[in-house]
Amino acid sequence: MPLDSRFFRETAFKQQLNVAVTVGVIFFAIASSLLTSWQGSRQVRHTLLEQGERIAENLASQSALALLYASAENANQAVKTALSFPDVMRVEIRHADGQPLLVTGNAIAETGDAPRMDGRVRQAYLETETSEAWRSVAPVLSKGDDSPFDVVERKDEVLGFVRVVQSKATLSRMLAQIFIVNLAISLVFAAAFLFVLRQLASRLTRPITELSEAMARAEKGESNVRAGVSGPTDIRDMAKAFNSMIAALQEREQALRESQASYRQVVDSVKEVIFQTDTEGAWVLLNPAWQGITGVPVAQALGRAMAEFVCEEDRPLVAEWQAQLRFGAVPDCGFEVRFPRVDGSIGWLEVTQHVNYDENGQFIGTSGSLGDITDRKLAAEKLANLNVELENRVRVRTAQLEASNRELEAFSYSVSHDLRAPLRAIDGFSRIIAEDYAGQLDETGRSYFARVGAATQRMSQLIDNLLDLARISRATINRERVDLGAMARETVRELTAAEPERQAEIEIAANLVVRADPVLLRVVVDNLMRNAWKYAGRRVTTRIAFGKETRSGADGVEVVYYVRDNGAGFDMSYVDKLFRPFSRLHSGSDFAGSGIGLATVQRIIHRHGGRIWGEGKVDGGATFYFTLPAELSH
């Protein structure tokens, strides 16, 4: 890494600012010193050059007589005066042809070259300049006296020239002094300026420094860190933003800690094992339910694979699922394995597992749960055994039922043949006696024989009803489309034909169509309609209604069929006796009947999977309701 880059990255802003200001001020001081010295040197040089030229001109003006008379003594005083100047190193007085008249001073500056004079030059000028000296030359002119009689104006005659060699030592010394003085002054002002700037920089950077220190403390994990709000507006805004950010982070950290604590409580409290694995399939997280189910401490299980804790027979299954998850064949899986408990017993685990990926889509392990299904497995095994036992019992009971049915058929045959024969004999002989010996019988005797005949008829009807009830219990149900309304209308036609003088209002709803056994449902409709007709016989106008309605119950919506009349009704306290065989709520003298009809109706409805019940009120009529399963309703 470059030095400057490392400096800017590893030093504080205040230090960088101090270094930058210091370097800038020092550079400015040196530059201003150099510039001031350069300007001073130009002025000194110009002054010294003017001084040399004036010395040369003065010497030239005083050397005319010496050159005119070729007498060096005439110029000695002028030469001494010129050499008295500190920087004058050498003085030469030469004739116009370059021959020296007088040469005195430093020998190293001696030169025999005569200056090439321009006849038009009438003043001193700089001839040459070396690193050590300047050579100024001035012409020596003879001024003739003008006569008023001269027609042509006389010109000055060049008698020769003087050369003054002037040293640069004074210039160098003065330049050094000027530079040192300027530099010293600049450094003094720079130091004062730096002091002021450092104070200002310290005051300006103090809020930034405090903010940086607060950030450093926050980075180290110190809690409740706040930056001081001071300094310029932008720094105050930064401090406020930092404080707001720290407050928001602390709130989020607190929420995160609470969430993690809550999550840990939930994970620790569930009865199922919650786990996570790394990329190699080793457990990195297990909740306490693990030890409760397996008996193995969590610390001993962490870092080990699931296959180490299942029965050996199920390890290939575990390895296969782990490989499919690791290589992305499936995103999740579920399977059941057996595991040995610490006490030596064998339990069952239901494993639910899914794949985990990082934000780059790289596989980082799996997560899942383990449920103890040992009780469920034992219950299922017990249920299977019970099912086997139940099937055996069903076969035995079926055989017993078939035997009972055969016995019932034999009994029915016996009743049908063996009991009817004596009844027929009683009925036949009573008729013969009543007919052949009618003249010998009084009214009481004939009444007795009539009662015997009626009793035998009722006994025969009772036998028929018992046989019908037995047949219904054994009959096979053949379901087909049945119109209950048509059956009811046919029964009504028979009833009104038998009693044409009776006033009746019969209401039969439309669309009373079901899928059921037509023979058995005819028995139901016939019994219910004839019962309604019978028990409403004492009303001036018989009213019977056959319809259906929809009701909502615990099992949903169902269709309920009903037969309602305005007859004698019944006491609801005896409603449980309605459907018992031979159980009647009215005397035979009031309403004829055997007490088998409603029992037969109930048997038929139950065999179809429906329900039947009655509601009534003494002298307020009765209503009988029945239902059929939904698949039987059309």
Side-chain angles (χ1 to χ4, degrees):
M1 182 183 296
L3 179 61
D4 55 349
S5 178
R6 184 169 63 251
F7 171 77
F8 285 113
R9 290 172 59 90
E10 297 179 357
T11 56
F13 172 74
K14 180 178 180 180
Q15 184 177 357
Q16 294 180 20
L17 182 61
N18 289 334
V19 171
V21 171
T22 302
V23 171
V25 170
I26 293 176
F27 175 79
F28 177 77
I30 295 175
S32 63
S33 299
L34 291 175
L35 179 61
T36 305
S37 299
W38 178 75
Q39 291 179 344
S41 67
R42 286 172 58 88
Q43 295 177 356
V44 172
R45 180 176 181 277
H46 181 71
T47 301
L48 292 177
L49 285 176
E50 287 183 347
Q51 180 182 356
E53 292 175 355
R54 286 196 299 271
I55 292 172
E57 287 180 351
N58 290 334
L59 180 59
S61 64
Q62 297 177 13
S63 300
L65 186 58
L67 287 173
L68 183 61
Y69 294 102
S71 173
E73 288 80 3
N74 291 332
N76 285 336
Q77 186 61 38
V79 170
K80 290 180 181 181
T81 300
L83 288 175
S84 65
F85 288 92
D87 294 328
V88 178
M89 301 171 57
R90 183 182 179 88
V91 174
E92 299 178 5
I93 300 175
R94 294 180 179 269
H95 294 282
D97 58 359
Q99 294 298 320
L101 173 65
L102 176 65
V103 177
T104 183
N106 194 343
I108 62 174
E110 182 178 0
T111 177
D113 297 333
R116 297 178 180 179
M117 297 297 296
D118 188 348
R120 293 173 298 177
V121 177
R122 292 294 184 265
Q123 62 183 6
Y125 65 92
L126 178 63
E127 179 189 16
T128 59
E129 181 179 0
T130 66
S131 60
E132 296 179 356
W134 295 293
R135 291 194 301 183
S136 299
V137 174
V140 180
L141 303 176
S142 64
K143 295 184 179 291
D145 296 332
D146 294 333
S147 174
F149 300 103
D150 291 336
V151 179
V152 181
E153 181 182 359
R154 293 184 179 182
K155 295 182 179 180
D156 295 337
E157 181 182 358
V158 177
L159 301 177
F161 65 89
V162 296
R163 177 183 289 158
V164 176
V165 179
Q166 189 177 9
S167 175
K168 289 184 177 181
T170 299
L171 176 63
S172 300
R173 183 174 63 256
M174 291 184 68
L175 288 178
Q177 290 175 354
I178 292 172
F179 176 76
I180 292 173
V181 171
N182 289 336
L183 181 61
I185 294 173
S186 299
L187 290 178
V188 170
F189 278 100
F193 187 65
L194 279 176
F195 176 78
V196 174
L197 285 181
R198 288 178 65 89
Q199 295 299 320
L200 292 176
S202 177
R203 184 172 182 178
L204 291 174
T205 59
R206 184 180 300 112
I208 299 178
T209 303
E210 294 176 355
L211 179 60
S212 176
E213 292 174 352
M215 290 180 177
R217 294 200 307 273
E219 183 180 8
K220 293 178 181 178
E222 184 177 340
S223 59
N224 297 323
V225 177
R226 292 295 185 273
V229 181
S230 61
T233 302
D234 52 352
I235 302 299
R236 290 200 304 271
D237 293 341
M238 291 174 59
K240 292 178 181 178
F242 172 77
N243 293 337
S244 300
M245 180 183 66
I246 291 298
L249 288 176
Q250 288 179 344
E251 292 178 359
R252 293 181 182 178
E253 288 178 358
Q254 180 64 25
L256 179 60
R257 285 193 295 268
E258 293 176 357
S259 176
Q260 289 176 342
S262 177
Y263 173 76
R264 174 55 63 181
Q265 291 176 357
V266 171
V267 170
D268 291 347
S269 63
V270 296
K271 295 181 179 181
E272 287 189 344
V273 178
I274 306 298
F275 70 87
Q276 285 184 349
T277 68
D278 58 15
T279 56
E280 300 300 326
W283 274 323
V284 295
L285 171 67
L286 285 171
N287 64 333
W290 166 260
Q291 185 170 353
I293 292 176
T294 64
V296 179
V298 173
Q300 295 183 11
L302 292 176
R304 299 168 65 183
M306 183 191 305
E308 299 182 32
F309 297 94
V310 303
C311 293
E312 187 173 356
E313 298 85 353
D314 293 334
R315 290 179 181 176
L317 175 64
V318 174
E320 178 182 355
W321 281 116
Q322 300 310 303
Q324 292 190 29
L325 291 172
R326 184 181 301 111
F327 295 110
V330 293
D332 51 52
C333 65
F335 54 94
E336 298 175 354
V337 293
R338 292 163 292 179
F339 70 96
R341 291 192 176 96
V342 175
D343 58 6
S345 62
I346 300 298
W348 281 86
L349 290 175
E350 183 180 39
V351 183
T352 303
Q353 195 172 6
H354 63 270
V355 180
N356 293 334
Y357 298 101
D358 61 12
E359 61 275 7
N360 298 321
Q362 298 296 321
F363 173 74
I364 60 174
T366 65
S367 300
S369 62
L370 305 174
D372 188 358
I373 59 172
T374 304
D375 294 339
R376 189 176 76 188
K377 283 290 186 179
L378 294 177
E381 184 179 355
K382 184 177 181 180
L383 181 61
N385 295 334
L386 289 176
N387 288 336
V388 173
E389 183 180 356
L390 182 60
E391 290 176 358
N392 294 332
R393 290 183 180 180
V394 168
R395 283 193 293 269
V396 173
R397 295 292 175 84
T398 302
Q400 293 176 351
L401 183 59
E402 291 175 351
S404 298
N405 287 335
R406 287 192 296 271
E407 292 177 359
L408 183 59
E409 291 176 358
F411 171 74
S412 299
Y413 179 81
S414 175
V415 169
S416 177
H417 293 80
D418 297 346
L419 293 183
R420 286 184 186 277
L423 286 177
R424 284 194 298 270
I426 294 172
D427 183 60
F429 282 114
S430 64
R431 288 178 183 275
I432 292 173
I433 294 174
E435 293 176 359
D436 293 346
Y437 298 94
Q440 301 177 12
L441 296 175
D442 56 9
E443 187 63 30
T444 302
R446 286 193 294 273
S447 175
Y448 287 159
F449 276 108
R451 292 174 64 182
V452 170
T456 55
Q457 290 297 325
R458 287 195 302 272
M459 185 64 182
S460 178
Q461 183 63 40
L462 183 61
I463 292 173
D464 289 338
N465 291 338
L466 286 174
L467 291 175
D468 290 341
L469 184 62
R471 283 196 298 270
I472 288 172
S473 300
R474 302 190 309 272
T476 301
I477 297 178
N478 298 313
R479 293 183 175 87
E480 58 184 66
R481 188 178 185 276
V482 177
D483 189 347
L484 301 182
M487 292 181 177
R489 284 188 287 272
E490 184 178 348
T491 301
V492 170
R493 282 195 297 270
E494 294 175 0
L495 292 172
T496 55
E499 297 183 64
E501 73 284 356
R502 189 167 173 179
Q503 297 294 323
E505 296 178 2
I506 310 299
E507 181 182 349
I508 300 175
N511 196 28
L512 300 178
V513 179
V514 298
R515 288 190 58 82
D517 189 291
V519 176
L520 297 181
L521 262 295
R522 180 175 293 277
V523 174
V524 171
V525 174
D526 191 72
N527 269 280
L528 293 178
M529 294 298 291
R530 288 183 183 277
N531 270 356
W533 181 272
K534 177 174 62 176
Y535 287 103
R538 296 182 180 181
R539 303 299 185 194
V540 176
T541 302
T542 298
R543 292 185 177 86
I544 300 175
F546 184 20
K548 66 178 180 179
E549 60 187 30
T550 301
R551 294 186 179 183
S552 299
D555 297 331
V557 179
E558 63 178 352
V559 179
V560 179
Y561 302 90
Y562 62 86
V563 176
R564 182 179 295 116
D565 64 68
N566 64 338
F570 58 88
D571 189 349
M572 285 294 292
S573 61
Y574 300 104
V575 69
D576 57 330
K577 297 181 179 181
L578 279 177
F579 303 101
R580 292 181 184 176
F582 308 111
S583 178
R584 305 192 65 212
L585 302 185
H586 301 85
S587 64
S589 60
D590 293 333
F591 301 100
S594 62
I596 296 296
L598 288 178
T600 303
V601 170
Q602 184 188 51
R603 187 70 56 85
I604 293 172
I605 295 298
H606 285 178
R607 291 209 62 196
H608 280 80
R611 298 179 293 116
I612 185 170
W613 67 95
E615 296 178 359
K617 183 180 180 181
V618 176
D619 290 331
T623 304
F624 285 89
Y625 301 93
F626 66 92
T627 65
L628 294 172
E631 64 271 12
L632 300 183
S633 299
H634 184 68

